[in-house]
Amino acid sequence: MTRERARAWAVAAAGAGLAAVLVRAELGNPLVSLVAAAWLVLLPALALLQRPPPVSEIRAHRIGFYAASIAVLAVVALVTLGVAPGLADPAGLRLDWPPAPRQLLVPAAALTAAGVVVAYAFRALSGPLGWRETETVRALVPATPREKGMFALLSATAGFSEELVFRGFLPTLFMPLSASYLLAALPVAAVFGLLHAYQGPHGIVRAGTIGAVLAAGVAWTGSLWPSIFAHAALDLLFGLVLGKSLLGEPPA
């Protein structure tokens, strides 16, 4: 299948998904349904259809790309929090702070370790299966102290915003259609993987798998905060500490 045809299928699937989600407006708040459609369908469709900028441009303007991502993530979080009071589920967005430090730190550390294991498992499979990290991923790794500082801010923003949407808001909407939180969160984790299309097909699966691990953390603890901390920690580790080890040598 050509890239153009794949994109056409992505657009068609996005339209079908958007229509399906909007039908839920009959069952609840239309504004909530509209925001859910945007996060569940529109953002992944844009990620699939978007052509990454040239690698040289990314390397020359990393801080600008980080800043733009921070701004988008902040808007996404604010919009989600703005419509969240309309949710009927009494559990809300699971933003209650854990009552004891160990109930935050121990699960966060365990989820971070699990995410690192998933990343290295994909790294181990890259050789036998011929997976290659995209040049876009390599270009986005920060190099200077200033870039690393901005990347740290981006990691914290992504940890809160993406967990709020993909482990809080969207699974809560679909819990009435499933038997448990985890069953509602797993399809959303697949959508989360699609947001990482710039990492290539194996990167989509890797991100979706890590999203499922973080969802399991929410099911385990009943709170988003351990997964928020783990998400931010994983981004920091992948970008600032483990990047070279995980990316391997660039192709000749």
Side-chain angles (χ1 to χ4, degrees):
M1 180 182 291
T2 66
R3 179 175 296 181
E4 290 73 16
R5 184 173 294 180
R7 289 179 176 178
W9 276 108
V11 171
L18 179 61
V21 174
L22 286 177
V23 168
R24 284 181 52 82
E26 297 292 331
L27 305 177
N29 188 322
L31 180 59
V32 172
S33 295
L34 183 62
V35 171
W39 298 169
L40 192 63
V41 180
L42 182 60
L43 290 183
L46 290 175
L48 286 169
L49 296 173
Q50 187 179 32
R51 288 181 178 272
V55 170
S56 58
E57 182 179 341
I58 296 174
R59 288 181 176 141
H61 303 287
R62 281 193 191 101
I63 290 180
F65 283 103
Y66 298 160
S69 298
I70 289 170
V72 170
L73 288 167
V75 169
V76 167
L78 289 173
V79 170
T80 301
L81 289 172
V83 302
L87 294 177
D89 191 293
L93 294 176
R94 293 175 171 78
L95 282 173
D96 291 338
W97 192 261
R102 63 183 178 80
Q103 291 178 298
L104 169 65
L105 299 178
V106 172
L111 292 171
T112 302
V116 171
V117 169
V118 170
Y120 274 100
F122 275 80
R123 175 74 179 90
L125 291 171
S126 62
L129 297 179
W131 292 339
R132 295 285 186 183
E133 297 294 344
T134 65
E135 289 304 305
T136 300
V137 171
R138 297 179 186 278
L140 284 169
V141 175
T144 68
R146 189 180 173 202
E147 289 174 354
K148 290 178 180 179
M150 184 63 78
F151 186 86
L153 180 58
L154 171 60
S155 298
T157 307
F160 179 79
S161 179
E162 292 180 356
E163 292 307 297
L164 176 71
V165 173
F166 290 97
R167 255 63 71 186
F169 176 64
L170 291 174
T172 298
L173 283 181
F174 290 104
M175 276 189 66
L177 306 177
S178 66
S180 69
Y181 166 83
L182 194 56
L183 287 177
L186 290 179
V188 177
V191 174
F192 175 73
L194 294 176
L195 293 179
H196 299 76
Y198 67 92
Q199 297 181 12
H202 80 280
I204 291 174
V205 179
R206 177 176 58 200
T209 304
I210 292 176
V213 168
L214 295 171
V218 178
W220 170 28
T221 64
S223 172
L224 276 180
W225 288 105
S227 293
I228 289 171
F229 275 62
H231 189 143
L234 286 169
D235 284 356
L236 286 169
L237 285 171
F238 295 159
L240 303 183
V241 181
L242 304 175
K244 290 184 179 179
S245 174
L246 287 170
L247 293 177
E249 294 296 326

